[in-house]
Amino acid sequence: MATDVSFGGADEENAELKKLHAEVVENSDEFEAWEKLVRAAETQEGGLNRNSSPQAISSTRAVYDRFLAKFPLFFGYWKKYADLEFSIAGTEAAEMVYERGVASISNSVDLWTNFCSFKVDTCHDNDLIRELFERGANCVGLDFLAHPFWDKYLEFEERLEALDKIFAILGRVIHIPMHQYARYFERYRQLAQSRPVQELVPSDTLAQFRAEIEMEGMQKPRTELEIERELRARIDSFHLEIFHRTQTETTKRWTYEQEIKRPYFHVTELDEAQLANWRKYLDFEESEGNYQRTAFLFERCLVAAAYYDEFWVRFARWMLSKDNKQEEVRNIYQRASCIYLPISSPVIRIHYALFEEMSGRPDVSEAIYEAILMNIPGHIETIISWANLQRRLGGLDAAIKVLKTQIDSDACDIYTKSALVATWAKLLWRVKGSPEEARQVFQKNYEWYLDSKPFWQEWLFFELQQPTSASTEPTQQSLIKQLHSAIHEKSRLPVQVKKDLAHHYQIYLLERGGKEAAREYLNLDSEINGSVSSMGFLDLAWDAGVAAGDPTLSRRA
């Protein structure tokens, strides 16, 4: 963030603003510091207005711009910024802020309602106003708590006495499961009594009803008035069916809606009950199979839970399962990676890199890995993912080159380097099919990682997993025994870690050891535990028996 902001106002006021600005520069994630800075900036010179100094106005704009770039989901601050611009520069400037706001948080019922209300008050072109309401309806109309927006839209049309528009709006709303669905239906039903029948139902449904009535009237002729009365009765029953369906859908969602305690964004964490409710709500909506409603619920969830990568990953995964939605998936990953989730949480970025690789853009994928490592040097999962990308693109040598570069880098600590050496060996074993080369990597590097549990553990697991036969088992057992001795005598691992690794060797002795395995096992048990532990032996024997599928072994209570 730039530090050269010049504020207006008195010297004492400037000093406080500079102090608050410095706090924000030092820790840009601290919301309370931002809140104080915004409040102080907009109250410069006793409160900003058209006559305020250019310095005070420009510095306040700069503060708002930076704050809302950092926290774009705070809809209330977009409203405050628009009000401020209206008082300073007028309608056009305020409208530009509103446009930026609804682009940043397009599913905010409150912000769209405020924007449309502002447009009604400041614009004399009803078509432009109606166009804005339609944009808002497409963005927030499905919200369970969208009634303030729909009320504002209906209020606008009522002022124009546009009954046909009012009826059309109500005809859309009665299909939406929402908090106040019943009052919209009652009003729709009331207006329907005075509307032409052609407006009440689709033309094919109207033709069907009329045909049914005419068939029934063949035995007893009816007047046109009687036909219309019967037609309206059937249409009313048809509307009641819509009402009951909407009622059912609303009831289904009410279970989850009533548990949403914080539907808006804040920097504070959500409690586990809120997170669990969002998970269940998404489960439900996904199972319903309505793409539009499910996508809208994800967007709602990602306002309240914007800092939780699990929901971003889930949204991208769900979107990827739909046909021809690559750009939508990319947009999800970009929003999560570039705006909302901190770099300290790289999971979503690794998923993003894999997506770009899948999409035939490995250069973008590589750039994502590089960006993560610029901010989190030595992040093991990222380095391994990058190495595997290079393996898929350029072969095993390209992957090993990435690993060696990071191993030689000062940015990686010993723990990271040991994990990367183990990965290097694993690639030689599993990809190249050369356990001997893999073993040499462990043998040539162990002196650097004497106190690294991951290194010794991976080496031991590598040796334990080598396939053998009756003729080669003694040779392999000798290698494993030598490694166990090295762990015990040469490593600088804590005593408990040595015991844990020895446990794996003991299991090996019971499962695959030769004639002297029992003796070696008991000697090792005595050495580790100070005396022969019969219960420890039974536990290990049980583990070995279960692994071998022996039903006669059971753990004693």
Side-chain angles (χ1 to χ4, degrees), residues 47-227:
L48 296 185
N49 54 53
R50 293 178 187 272
N51 299 318
S52 298
S53 69
Q55 266 189 328
I57 291 172
S58 63
S59 63
T60 302
R61 282 173 173 159
V63 168
Y64 261 109
D65 288 341
R66 290 168 181 168
F67 171 69
L68 288 168
K70 179 70 178 177
F71 301 109
L73 298 180
F74 275 123
F75 70 88
Y77 281 92
W78 286 109
K79 170 68 165 57
K80 288 179 67 177
Y81 192 8
D83 289 345
L84 180 66
E85 283 290 7
F86 184 66
S87 67
I88 294 172
T91 302
E92 187 175 342
E95 187 164 338
M96 287 177 64
V97 172
Y98 271 122
E99 288 288 2
R100 289 169 57 195
V102 295
S104 298
I105 177 169
S106 61
N107 59 341
S108 171
V109 174
D110 296 275
L111 191 57
W112 273 108
T113 304
N114 286 325
F115 188 10
C116 291
S117 181
F118 171 82
K119 192 75 170 177
V120 169
D121 292 340
T122 58
C123 179
H124 303 292
D125 188 328
N126 293 328
D127 289 335
L128 285 178
I129 297 171
R130 194 171 284 123
E131 182 182 310
L132 185 66
F133 271 114
E134 282 301 313
R135 284 174 56 201
N138 290 330
C139 290
V140 301
L142 292 180
D143 198 295
F144 195 81
L145 299 175
H147 53 276
F149 172 82
W150 289 114
D151 288 345
K152 184 62 66 175
Y153 195 176
L154 290 166
E155 178 187 309
F156 163 70
E157 298 292 4
E158 284 167 357
R159 285 169 55 181
L160 301 178
E161 298 182 352
L163 292 179
D164 56 331
K165 303 289 187 185
I166 294 170
F167 190 68
I169 293 169
L170 291 169
R172 293 158 63 185
V173 176
I174 62 172
H175 292 274
I176 302 172
M178 58 192 299
H179 180 49
Q180 298 188 16
Y181 69 97
R183 69 178 175 89
Y184 291 110
F185 178 77
E186 286 303 320
R187 189 173 178 195
Y188 177 80
R189 193 181 187 190
Q190 183 180 10
L191 283 177
Q193 296 174 11
S194 58
R195 304 304 300 172
V197 291
Q198 291 81 2
E199 294 182 13
L200 302 183
V201 288
S203 57
D204 55 341
T205 304
L206 182 63
Q208 178 188 336
F209 288 164
R210 189 177 290 278
E212 290 172 359
I213 294 169
E214 289 174 354
M215 285 290 292
E216 294 170 3
M218 290 180 67
Q219 297 178 349
K220 182 182 177 182
R222 300 183 185 185
T223 65
E224 189 61 35
L225 184 61
E226 290 175 325
I227 291 174

Side-chain angles (χ1 to χ4, degrees), residues 254-433:
W254 180 246
T255 304
Y256 309 105
E257 289 288 343
Q258 66 181 343
E259 296 299 323
I260 298 175
K261 308 303 181 189
R262 196 185 82 189
Y264 52 86
F265 168 80
H266 204 276
V267 294
T268 54
E269 294 182 356
L270 290 168
D271 60 44
E272 183 53 39
Q274 290 286 284
L275 296 173
N277 184 60
W278 280 116
R279 294 181 193 114
K280 291 175 185 176
Y281 200 173
L282 289 167
D283 288 342
F284 161 76
E285 209 62 81
E286 285 185 43
S287 69
E288 290 289 290
N290 184 305
Y291 171 84
Q292 193 176 14
R293 291 206 63 84
T294 306
F296 187 81
L297 184 64
F298 266 114
E299 293 291 357
R300 279 184 67 198
C301 171
L302 287 168
V303 170
Y307 288 165
Y308 292 84
D309 54 12
E310 68 165 287
F311 295 108
W312 287 103
V313 171
R314 179 171 179 170
F315 190 15
R317 186 183 297 131
W318 174 81
M319 189 66 76
L320 191 60
S321 69
K322 309 304 172 187
D323 294 334
N324 303 315
K325 295 295 180 183
Q326 270 205 330
E327 282 308 312
E328 286 83 349
V329 175
R330 180 171 287 113
N331 178 264
I332 292 166
Y333 280 127
Q334 287 177 344
R335 286 160 57 202
S337 302
C338 303
I339 302 175
Y340 298 112
L341 294 177
I343 194 68
S344 58
S345 176
V347 173
I348 191 73
R349 292 166 176 83
I350 292 174
H351 276 259
Y352 181 21
L354 290 170
F355 167 76
E356 291 294 6
E357 181 188 352
M358 178 202 79
S359 302
R361 305 207 304 173
D363 53 328
V364 177
S365 181
E366 187 170 3
I368 293 168
Y369 291 131
E370 290 176 343
I372 296 172
L373 292 174
M374 283 178 61
N375 290 276
I376 319 176
H379 186 257
I380 295 172
E381 187 180 356
T382 300
I383 297 170
I384 293 174
S385 296
W386 187 8
N388 277 310
L389 167 68
Q390 293 301 327
R391 176 184 59 77
R392 292 187 288 272
L393 295 175
L396 181 61
D397 290 343
I400 291 174
K401 182 180 178 181
V402 170
L403 295 174
K404 284 183 175 180
T405 301
Q406 294 297 321
I407 290 168
D408 294 338
S409 169
D410 294 335
C412 295
D413 58 22
I414 288 296
Y415 173 85
T416 300
K417 292 182 179 184
S418 68
L420 298 181
V421 170
T423 302
W424 174 11
K426 197 179 296 182
L427 286 173
L428 289 169
W429 167 37
R430 292 183 173 171
V431 177
K432 191 174 182 180

Side-chain angles (χ1 to χ4, degrees), residues 223-238:
T223 65
E224 189 61 35
L225 184 61
E226 290 175 325
I227 291 174
E228 180 168 342
R229 189 181 300 121
E230 177 64 23
L231 198 56
R232 286 186 177 275
R234 295 195 182 208
I235 290 172
D236 188 59
S237 297
F238 177 78

